[in-house]
Every structure is written in C-alpha cells, then in structure tokens.
Amino acid sequence: MKKFLLPGALVLAGLLFIGMSFFNFGKDALTVKISNASYVMPSVYKVYANPEALNGEYYFFKMLMTNNGNASMQDVKVSYDIPGYIDWTELQTIPVIYPGQHVVIRCYPHFKDDVVKKMTQSQETGEIKIEYNGGKTKKESFTFNMMGRNQFVYTDIPADEVTSYPDMMHNTQLLPCLVTPEDPIVKYYTSQVQDKFMQGEAASVENDPQKAMQGAKDFLVKLYAATVASRMVYSGTEGIPQKMGDISSTVQSARLPREVVTGNTGLCIELSLLYASVLKAAGLHPVIFLIPGHAFPGVLVNNYYFAIEATGVGGQGLGGTMTPEQAFEKGSQELATFIDGYQKGDTRNIVIDINDLEAKGVIPMELSDDEFLRKKVDDIAATFGGGGTAHTTVVVNNEHREGNSGHKTNNSGSGMRSYSGQISFSYPAGWQRSGNYPVPQVNTLVTRIVTPDQTAGISVWDIPASSPDQALYMLKNQLAALGQYITYQKVNQANGYSMYQGSTSYNGGTFRWEGVFRSGGDGVVGLTMGGVNFAGYQGVFNSIITTIR
C-alpha cells in the first residue's frame, strides 16, 4: 500500500502546482528592460509609425518583459502615452506569459500631422503601463528629446558603437522625409518654373531614352536658371555637435524646401532638398549626392546620373554666380569624382535615391497650404520675367538651340557638327578628326575625334561580333596585343543599345571612358568617349550620348 503513496503524493503536488499557477496562487515577478530612442525628429513622424519602414529600425522604444516568478501572468496589456502628443494607446495584449518566458514589444508611435508645427527642441517623457492578472499594474517612464521640425540629427547609433563614417551619417537615409514634392507651396513654385522657363512643358520621362535624358538635363539647367533669376543666394548654418543620452551627433537646422524658396537662400543640403522636391513634383527621379562637407543634387534617368552645382548661385561676397552651363559643367565634374570614389569603395560618398527610399517607407511630412507663402512665390516668379534671363544651351538630336531665343541652327555651324555612318551622333564643332583609320593594328577603329587640348576624345568602332558583349571582349583582346589593358562593366541596356563604363591602363598611365554599342550592319557598331581629362568633359560626353541614333 505504501508503495503507492509516494507517486500519488507527487502527482497530487504536481496538480496542485499547476492549479496554483493557473489561478495565480503562485508568485509572479515581472522585470522590464526598456531601450528607448534618445530623440524624435518631427519631420520623420511617418517613418516612426511604420514597422515596415527600413525594416522597422526606427522604433520609439523596445521593451523586454520577463516573468521571473513561478506563476503565469494572464492577459498582459501594454499601453503607452507621450503627454502632449499621444494619448494612452494600447500596444499589445499577451494572453499569457509563463514563468521564465521573455516577451519583446516594439512601439511605433502614431504622431498627428501637426507634430511638424513644433519648432523648438524640448525634453519630453514617454510613459508605459503594464496591466495583468485582472488588476495588477506596473508603470515605467523614460525621457527623450523632442527636436524641432527643422532639426536633423545625423545618426542614431550610440557613440561607443560608431566605428565608421557611414555610422556617423546613418540617418541620411531619412533625408527624403525633408523632400516635399506634395507641399502645396513647392507644387506652386514648380508650376511657376515650368510656366516661365519651359513654357508649360512637362518634364515627364519620355519613351525615347535619348529625349528622356535630354529632358531631365534641360530641367536641371532651367531650374538652376530660375534660382539665378530670383537672385537666390548660397548661405547656411553649420551643424552643432550635441549629446542626447548615449547618442553623440551633429544636429543641423535645415530649412525646408518651401523655406528655401520663400527665403531665397539655402545651404548646399537645403538647395539639394529643394531641387529633389521640385524634380519629384515634376515627375522625375531625384537623387542627392553627399560627400564630406558638401551635397549636390542630381537626377537619374535611364540608369544615367546627371548633376548640377546648385550652390553656383553664389551671392554677394561669394565670388559671383555661375551661369547655368557652368553650374551643370561643375556638377558633372563633381559627379565624375563622386562615381570614381564610390566605385573605389570610398564609403564617404553617399547617394540618396529619393524614389528608392520612399519605396522603403521613408515618406515625407505633410505640410498645409499657406496663402502668405503663395504670395511670396508670386513675388519671386515675377522676377523670372518673360521666360527667364539666364542663357542656356542644349543639344537635342540634330539641333543646336539657344535657350532664350528659341533659334535653331544646323549643327554644321559653330555649335555642333554631325558624324554619320553605321552609328550617327553630334559632337562639338571645335573637335577634330585625328589620323587615318582604320589601321592594320586596330582594324575595328573607324575614326577618332579629339578635343582641342588632346586630353579626351571619341572613338568610333565597327566590330565583327554577334553582340555588344562579344564586341567588348574582342576589343579587349585586340588592345591587349598593343599593350593597352581595359576593364569594364555593362551599366545599362535599353532600346537595342548596351552601355558600358571602364578604364584603360597603358604604359603612360590610365584613363576612364564610357561606351555605347549596338548591333548594326555586319557586326556591332558603337563609340567610346574618354581620356585623361574624363571628368572635365563628362558633361559633354553625356550630351553626345543623347544625340546618338
């Protein structure tokens, strides 16, 4: 009989323990560990609300709850509030947390749109309430910095975890929150620029890739011309180092695009945000290029980047103002340097692709209309005159157009000259053909056209190959026999054309080039453009590409 007593007692004890646990007769011991944001930027409020944005890394707080007792916790409800901003809001209810179990909860707060009206920095409190077992309550709180609308903090990585330049600039992926194409003031300004400088012409992407690229470049140049006509000046403020909790970062007060327009002034990053906003409002694909100490705007079309130096507007005491052509040329040179560094792995070169980041949930703030600001845009548009005063020169297919007069002249004049053959294009009239080609050593080279300073040029090719890729392979082997070694990569393929970028090394050094090839005639035809002064001529090369037919 006794042999049944011990097992029976153990079973009874087990049942009693389970029953006590179920009815909470045991002891619970809830511990909480909170990891909260050191600051909140009002301009980023839509990212904070979206757990899918940038893989959910921008949460307001993360809380680890652990039941260290010997009894289950039932119906655990977690709520939070931010006094003055968000009322008590339920985050989650967990049916049961067993002894020893851990639960992690992340908070993605839904601020109201009017949070962007906050203009100054302040210290605020976040409050958390945990209710469980039909009446028990545990409360926690923490402090954080609520920034002003215009304040941008460049990193959210704790100081002791920052190991690289990208870590210091981690929040630059949030810059599209300051790009505001749907702002009524920006849209109104965009319409004024299009009306006065483009005669209402839209800048939407064309089906014809050459026209699309030319349209995008033209829009950049004319937008710059508008800022010059309004006498916009380059100015700004430096970022200020600031410590907030375990975060040490540069904090910059950045004017919004509407404020750059109506104030008629901006720092490089502010001008870049304005350009990106207007380009986006016009239906184009804006990008911002960041290098240490500087930012400049650009546009992406058909996998080609174009850029302009927006700070060329200068101002009194800043060395004068660049013409639209000079600003575009300067932007092209900066872009070439940027791409060269980027391809070599310089992590300080950062490209902010507005459309790409928007697709990842980086959504701009919403701003309300403002009649006073609209009136200021009207005053600025009045300075544009009858279509703008800035002189611009653009090349479209076989025409040379003077920006203000609308006069068309044949390329055979002083502006552009035409090359016709299996592949045809236009090039600057001052450039000259060099030598007699083909030659026995390079029988695929049809002709060369060189710049007056002999530092860059165009090579036209006719290669007996079945595809552009095979043609480049044959060309590589042919040049290697002459002591010239090329490396290259395909960067785009559209409408029968394959586009490549590469470099050529030889005994005297190295030069960069880009090429466009297509099947034609009995093989593959194309041209390469490059030289030791590639950066100085990249803007011209890009223009030549738009004329290929």
mmCIF file of all heavy atoms in Angstrom, residues 292-316:
data_model
loop_
_atom_site.group_PDB
_atom_site.id
_atom_site.type_symbol
_atom_site.label_atom_id
_atom_site.label_comp_id
_atom_site.label_asym_id
_atom_site.label_seq_id
_atom_site.Cartn_x
_atom_site.Cartn_y
_atom_site.Cartn_z
ATOM 1 N N PRO A 292 31.926 64.390 -47.948
ATOM 2 C CA PRO A 292 32.226 65.098 -46.704
ATOM 3 C C PRO A 292 32.195 66.617 -46.888
ATOM 4 O O PRO A 292 32.910 67.176 -47.718
ATOM 5 C CB PRO A 292 33.637 64.604 -46.360
ATOM 6 C CG PRO A 292 33.689 63.232 -46.940
ATOM 7 C CD PRO A 292 32.911 63.327 -48.229
ATOM 8 N N GLY A 293 31.304 67.267 -46.141
ATOM 9 C CA GLY A 293 31.220 68.721 -46.160
ATOM 10 C C GLY A 293 30.407 69.319 -47.287
ATOM 11 O O GLY A 293 30.309 70.544 -47.384
ATOM 12 N N HIS A 294 29.801 68.484 -48.138
ATOM 13 C CA HIS A 294 29.079 69.059 -49.283
ATOM 14 C C HIS A 294 27.972 68.115 -49.757
ATOM 15 O O HIS A 294 28.036 66.899 -49.556
ATOM 16 C CB HIS A 294 30.042 69.343 -50.427
ATOM 17 C CG HIS A 294 29.432 70.107 -51.563
ATOM 18 N ND1 HIS A 294 28.700 71.265 -51.377
ATOM 19 C CD2 HIS A 294 29.436 69.880 -52.908
ATOM 20 C CE1 HIS A 294 28.295 71.725 -52.555
ATOM 21 N NE2 HIS A 294 28.730 70.898 -53.490
ATOM 22 N N ALA A 295 26.969 68.715 -50.392
ATOM 23 C CA ALA A 295 25.883 67.966 -51.026
ATOM 24 C C ALA A 295 25.533 68.668 -52.329
ATOM 25 O O ALA A 295 25.604 69.893 -52.419
ATOM 26 C CB ALA A 295 24.658 67.906 -50.115
ATOM 27 N N PHE A 296 25.178 67.884 -53.359
ATOM 28 C CA PHE A 296 24.719 68.488 -54.607
ATOM 29 C C PHE A 296 23.633 67.602 -55.215
ATOM 30 O O PHE A 296 23.638 66.386 -55.052
ATOM 31 C CB PHE A 296 25.871 68.735 -55.590
ATOM 32 C CG PHE A 296 26.682 67.512 -55.962
ATOM 33 C CD1 PHE A 296 26.457 66.843 -57.153
ATOM 34 C CD2 PHE A 296 27.697 67.063 -55.126
ATOM 35 C CE1 PHE A 296 27.223 65.735 -57.512
ATOM 36 C CE2 PHE A 296 28.464 65.951 -55.471
ATOM 37 C CZ PHE A 296 28.216 65.289 -56.664
ATOM 38 N N PRO A 297 22.667 68.227 -55.906
ATOM 39 C CA PRO A 297 21.502 67.479 -56.401
ATOM 40 C C PRO A 297 21.729 66.900 -57.788
ATOM 41 O O PRO A 297 22.567 67.374 -58.563
ATOM 42 C CB PRO A 297 20.416 68.565 -56.440
ATOM 43 C CG PRO A 297 21.177 69.814 -56.788
ATOM 44 C CD PRO A 297 22.509 69.681 -56.099
ATOM 45 N N GLY A 298 20.938 65.882 -58.095
ATOM 46 C CA GLY A 298 21.001 65.269 -59.413
ATOM 47 C C GLY A 298 19.703 64.589 -59.764
ATOM 48 O O GLY A 298 18.724 64.623 -59.026
ATOM 49 N N VAL A 299 19.723 63.942 -60.917
ATOM 50 C CA VAL A 299 18.548 63.227 -61.412
ATOM 51 C C VAL A 299 19.014 61.934 -62.056
ATOM 52 O O VAL A 299 20.111 61.865 -62.627
ATOM 53 C CB VAL A 299 17.752 64.107 -62.409
ATOM 54 C CG1 VAL A 299 18.593 64.430 -63.639
ATOM 55 C CG2 VAL A 299 16.441 63.460 -62.809
ATOM 56 N N LEU A 300 18.213 60.901 -61.936
ATOM 57 C CA LEU A 300 18.513 59.593 -62.521
ATOM 58 C C LEU A 300 17.507 59.317 -63.620
ATOM 59 O O LEU A 300 16.299 59.366 -63.402
ATOM 60 C CB LEU A 300 18.438 58.498 -61.452
ATOM 61 C CG LEU A 300 18.620 57.052 -61.915
ATOM 62 C CD1 LEU A 300 20.010 56.850 -62.508
ATOM 63 C CD2 LEU A 300 18.389 56.086 -60.749
ATOM 64 N N VAL A 301 17.999 59.039 -64.824
ATOM 65 C CA VAL A 301 17.119 58.717 -65.938
ATOM 66 C C VAL A 301 17.811 57.691 -66.814
ATOM 67 O O VAL A 301 18.973 57.854 -67.185
ATOM 68 C CB VAL A 301 16.728 59.982 -66.735
ATOM 69 C CG1 VAL A 301 17.949 60.724 -67.235
ATOM 70 C CG2 VAL A 301 15.812 59.653 -67.904
ATOM 71 N N ASN A 302 17.093 56.591 -67.077
ATOM 72 C CA ASN A 302 17.640 55.502 -67.896
ATOM 73 C C ASN A 302 19.006 55.022 -67.396
ATOM 74 O O ASN A 302 19.927 54.750 -68.174
ATOM 75 C CB ASN A 302 17.753 55.941 -69.363
ATOM 76 C CG ASN A 302 16.394 56.174 -69.991
ATOM 77 O OD1 ASN A 302 15.414 55.539 -69.627
ATOM 78 N ND2 ASN A 302 16.321 57.113 -70.919
ATOM 79 N N ASN A 303 19.106 54.920 -66.075
ATOM 80 C CA ASN A 303 20.325 54.455 -65.411
ATOM 81 C C ASN A 303 21.517 55.391 -65.598
ATOM 82 O O ASN A 303 22.661 54.981 -65.394
ATOM 83 C CB ASN A 303 20.696 53.043 -65.866
ATOM 84 C CG ASN A 303 19.764 51.996 -65.304
ATOM 85 O OD1 ASN A 303 19.240 52.142 -64.202
ATOM 86 N ND2 ASN A 303 19.532 50.931 -66.059
ATOM 87 N N TYR A 304 21.270 56.616 -65.995
ATOM 88 C CA TYR A 304 22.322 57.625 -66.086
ATOM 89 C C TYR A 304 22.041 58.714 -65.068
ATOM 90 O O TYR A 304 20.909 59.162 -64.905
ATOM 91 C CB TYR A 304 22.385 58.241 -67.485
ATOM 92 C CG TYR A 304 23.320 57.512 -68.414
ATOM 93 C CD1 TYR A 304 22.905 56.374 -69.091
ATOM 94 C CD2 TYR A 304 24.625 57.962 -68.610
ATOM 95 C CE1 TYR A 304 23.764 55.701 -69.946
ATOM 96 C CE2 TYR A 304 25.493 57.301 -69.465
ATOM 97 C CZ TYR A 304 25.058 56.163 -70.122
ATOM 98 O OH TYR A 304 25.913 55.500 -70.958
ATOM 99 N N TYR A 305 23.110 59.140 -64.372
ATOM 100 C CA TYR A 305 23.011 60.240 -63.434
ATOM 101 C C TYR A 305 23.427 61.546 -64.121
ATOM 102 O O TYR A 305 24.352 61.573 -64.929
ATOM 103 C CB TYR A 305 23.945 60.031 -62.241
ATOM 104 C CG TYR A 305 23.528 58.951 -61.277
ATOM 105 C CD1 TYR A 305 24.337 57.836 -61.065
ATOM 106 C CD2 TYR A 305 22.340 59.048 -60.559
ATOM 107 C CE1 TYR A 305 23.972 56.846 -60.166
ATOM 108 C CE2 TYR A 305 21.964 58.067 -59.660
ATOM 109 C CZ TYR A 305 22.787 56.963 -59.466
ATOM 110 O OH TYR A 305 22.414 55.990 -58.585
ATOM 111 N N PHE A 306 22.738 62.612 -63.768
ATOM 112 C CA PHE A 306 23.139 63.963 -64.142
ATOM 113 C C PHE A 306 23.106 64.795 -62.865
ATOM 114 O O PHE A 306 22.294 64.545 -61.977
ATOM 115 C CB PHE A 306 22.201 64.553 -65.192
ATOM 116 C CG PHE A 306 22.156 63.765 -66.480
ATOM 117 C CD1 PHE A 306 21.152 62.835 -66.697
ATOM 118 C CD2 PHE A 306 23.122 63.956 -67.447
ATOM 119 C CE1 PHE A 306 21.117 62.092 -67.867
ATOM 120 C CE2 PHE A 306 23.095 63.227 -68.626
ATOM 121 C CZ PHE A 306 22.088 62.288 -68.843
ATOM 122 N N ALA A 307 23.987 65.771 -62.784
ATOM 123 C CA ALA A 307 24.063 66.574 -61.557
ATOM 124 C C ALA A 307 24.342 68.024 -61.902
ATOM 125 O O ALA A 307 24.806 68.351 -63.006
ATOM 126 C CB ALA A 307 25.159 66.030 -60.641
ATOM 127 N N ILE A 308 24.069 68.894 -60.943
ATOM 128 C CA ILE A 308 24.329 70.321 -61.111
ATOM 129 C C ILE A 308 24.810 70.879 -59.780
ATOM 130 O O ILE A 308 24.457 70.355 -58.708
ATOM 131 C CB ILE A 308 23.060 71.056 -61.608
ATOM 132 C CG1 ILE A 308 23.409 72.420 -62.197
ATOM 133 C CG2 ILE A 308 22.020 71.185 -60.484
ATOM 134 C CD1 ILE A 308 22.312 73.000 -63.069
ATOM 135 N N GLU A 309 25.638 71.901 -59.835
ATOM 136 C CA GLU A 309 26.129 72.542 -58.614
ATOM 137 C C GLU A 309 25.183 73.674 -58.244
ATOM 138 O O GLU A 309 25.306 74.808 -58.726
ATOM 139 C CB GLU A 309 27.554 73.049 -58.815
ATOM 140 C CG GLU A 309 28.146 73.705 -57.579
ATOM 141 C CD GLU A 309 27.911 72.885 -56.314
ATOM 142 O OE1 GLU A 309 28.568 71.837 -56.154
ATOM 143 O OE2 GLU A 309 27.052 73.298 -55.503
ATOM 144 N N ALA A 310 24.225 73.347 -57.366
ATOM 145 C CA ALA A 310 23.176 74.309 -57.020
ATOM 146 C C ALA A 310 23.719 75.521 -56.285
ATOM 147 O O ALA A 310 23.140 76.611 -56.363
ATOM 148 C CB ALA A 310 22.104 73.619 -56.172
ATOM 149 N N THR A 311 24.845 75.366 -55.577
ATOM 150 C CA THR A 311 25.392 76.499 -54.831
ATOM 151 C C THR A 311 26.084 77.501 -55.753
ATOM 152 O O THR A 311 26.578 78.532 -55.284
ATOM 153 C CB THR A 311 26.394 76.033 -53.762
ATOM 154 O OG1 THR A 311 27.551 75.481 -54.410
ATOM 155 C CG2 THR A 311 25.776 74.998 -52.851
ATOM 156 N N GLY A 312 26.109 77.208 -57.055
ATOM 157 C CA GLY A 312 26.691 78.144 -58.012
ATOM 158 C C GLY A 312 25.972 79.471 -58.048
ATOM 159 O O GLY A 312 26.484 80.438 -58.621
ATOM 160 N N VAL A 313 24.782 79.530 -57.441
ATOM 161 C CA VAL A 313 24.083 80.820 -57.370
ATOM 162 C C VAL A 313 24.918 81.846 -56.616
ATOM 163 O O VAL A 313 24.786 83.056 -56.831
ATOM 164 C CB VAL A 313 22.692 80.676 -56.702
ATOM 165 C CG1 VAL A 313 21.765 79.856 -57.565
ATOM 166 C CG2 VAL A 313 22.806 80.058 -55.304
ATOM 167 N N GLY A 314 25.804 81.351 -55.718
ATOM 168 C CA GLY A 314 26.729 82.243 -55.020
ATOM 169 C C GLY A 314 26.033 83.320 -54.234
ATOM 170 O O GLY A 314 25.136 83.067 -53.437
ATOM 171 N N GLY A 315 26.422 84.552 -54.478
ATOM 172 C CA GLY A 315 25.861 85.681 -53.749
ATOM 173 C C GLY A 315 26.952 86.704 -53.482
ATOM 174 O O GLY A 315 28.134 86.499 -53.787
ATOM 175 N N GLN A 316 26.555 87.812 -52.915
ATOM 176 C CA GLN A 316 27.496 88.891 -52.642
ATOM 177 C C GLN A 316 28.615 88.402 -51.724
ATOM 178 O O GLN A 316 28.390 87.810 -50.689
ATOM 179 C CB GLN A 316 26.773 90.068 -51.995
ATOM 180 C CG GLN A 316 27.653 91.308 -51.833
ATOM 181 C CD GLN A 316 26.853 92.489 -51.322
ATOM 182 O OE1 GLN A 316 25.671 92.363 -51.033
ATOM 183 N NE2 GLN A 316 27.508 93.630 -51.210
#
